[in-house]
């Protein structure tokens, strides 16, 4: 059972930002899509798990960016799995142009039983014969974000739209990133020039929910909290 999957992707205009480069949130999309393709190839995709009442749950994601490809370039997107613990496993990602790594990432996943709402041991989900030979893409691990924000840190609001909702019925993981980046102007994003993101998913939100964004300076970047009422939906560290 091969624990590696890659494909060529043309950087079409629909994937690009105002600078004519692959946008940051579309990079998250590419990683999500390659994970979906690999899971299907392994027999643990949506069509395979849904009859078993299982759903892949994203816990947290880290993405590090060295460079972003230009419009009309062709890149390679790749993914592979790390050895899992009992209930959680990490999936790795790379974005390459030739032999140059442009971006890398890692997502911590779990398999949720939608009938019992409990996590399922990954030994019951991963296919037999899986080997784990490639090194992790993000050896530095995930950055911890403390959920300590004041009312004075509040800076933006967002209402969850129908276009944010995925097949799970809640706001899609990448839709959070798109909404988050939309709270900054292009000028602010140029000044911040973020090269790494740690995104920690805490609670699901749904169409019509009102989200509030808080931010505060952190070591080497910004910490951001996204709340729905008093409940924290998302925590982010940007550098």
């Amino acid at each position: 059972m091969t624990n590696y999957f890659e494909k060529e992707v043309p950087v079409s205009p629909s994937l690009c930002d105002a600078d004519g480069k692959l946008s940051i949130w579309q990079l998250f999309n590419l990683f999500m899509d390659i994970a979906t393709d690999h899971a299907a190839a392994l027999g643990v995709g949506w069509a395979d798990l849904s009859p078993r009442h299982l759903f892949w749950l994203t816990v947290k994601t880290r993405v590090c960016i060295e460079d972003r490809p230009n419009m009309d370039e062709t890149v390679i997107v790749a993914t592979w799995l790390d050895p899992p613990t009992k209930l959680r496993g990490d999936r790795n990602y790379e974005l390459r142009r030739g032999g140059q790594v442009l971006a890398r990432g890692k997502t911590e996943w779990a398999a949720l039983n939608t009938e019992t709402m409990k996590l399922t041991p990954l030994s019951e989900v991963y296919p037999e014969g899986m080997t784990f030979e490639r090194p992790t893409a993000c050896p530095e691990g995930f950055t911890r974000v403390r959920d300590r924000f004041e009312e004075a840190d509040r800076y933006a609001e967002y209402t969850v739209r129908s276009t944010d909702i995925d097949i799970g019925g809640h706001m899609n993981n990448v839709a959070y990133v798109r909404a988050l980046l939309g709270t900054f102007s292009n000028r602010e994003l140029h000044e911040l020039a973020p090269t790494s993101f740690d995104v920690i998913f805490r609670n699901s939100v749904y169409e019509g929910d009102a989200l509030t964004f808080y931010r505060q300076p952190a070591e080497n970047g910004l910490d951001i909290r996204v709340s729905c009422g008093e409940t924290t939906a998302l925590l982010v560290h940007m550098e």
Side-chain angles (χ1 to χ4, degrees), residues 104-209:
R104 54 193 174 85
K106 180 164 67 175
T107 295
E108 183 179 289
W109 296 87
L112 178 70
N113 186 306
T114 56
E115 286 192 320
T116 65
M117 299 308 292
K118 294 182 178 180
L119 300 183
T120 298
L122 291 183
S123 60
E124 300 176 15
V125 182
Y126 279 17
E128 293 184 7
M130 178 73 69
T131 59
F132 305 94
E133 299 170 351
R134 298 180 68 89
T136 183
C138 296
E140 63 271 27
F142 298 100
T143 300
R144 181 183 178 187
V145 182
R146 293 187 176 183
D147 192 353
R148 296 179 180 176
F149 293 81
E150 305 294 337
E151 186 61 27
D153 299 323
R154 181 173 178 165
Y155 78 99
E157 295 182 349
Y158 182 85
T159 299
V160 180
R161 294 150 171 75
S162 59
T163 50
D164 296 322
I165 306 303
D166 64 16
I167 197 169
H170 49 64
M171 189 171 186
N172 180 263
N173 301 330
V174 177
Y176 282 106
V177 178
R178 180 179 60 194
L180 169 69
L181 292 170
T183 64
F184 298 91
S185 66
N186 276 321
R187 180 178 178 180
E188 288 174 314
L189 288 173
H190 283 143
E191 292 173 351
L192 289 169
T195 57
S196 72
F197 294 80
D198 285 270
V199 185
I200 303 164
F201 301 93
R202 294 282 292 272
N203 288 283
S204 297
V205 298
Y206 303 90
E207 183 179 355
D209 282 347

Side-chain angles (χ1 to χ4, degrees), residues 53-139:
H53 306 287
L54 297 179
F55 184 83
W56 284 117
L57 182 70
T58 306
V59 181
K60 59 183 90 168
T61 293
R62 177 173 176 80
V63 170
C64 300
I65 304 168
E66 300 293 334
D67 195 7
R68 290 185 291 134
N70 297 311
M71 186 187 303
D72 293 333
E73 289 189 303
T74 297
V75 293
I76 297 291
V77 188
T79 186
W80 64 96
L81 299 169
D82 283 343
T85 61
K86 180 179 179 180
L87 295 176
R88 298 189 182 189
D90 289 343
R91 175 178 283 282
N92 299 279
Y93 308 96
E94 271 187 357
L95 180 76
R96 301 195 306 268
R97 179 174 52 208
Q100 179 188 8
V101 176
L102 303 178
R104 54 193 174 85
K106 180 164 67 175
T107 295
E108 183 179 289
W109 296 87
L112 178 70
N113 186 306
T114 56
E115 286 192 320
T116 65
M117 299 308 292
K118 294 182 178 180
L119 300 183
T120 298
L122 291 183
S123 60
E124 300 176 15
V125 182
Y126 279 17
E128 293 184 7
M130 178 73 69
T131 59
F132 305 94
E133 299 170 351
R134 298 180 68 89
T136 183
C138 296

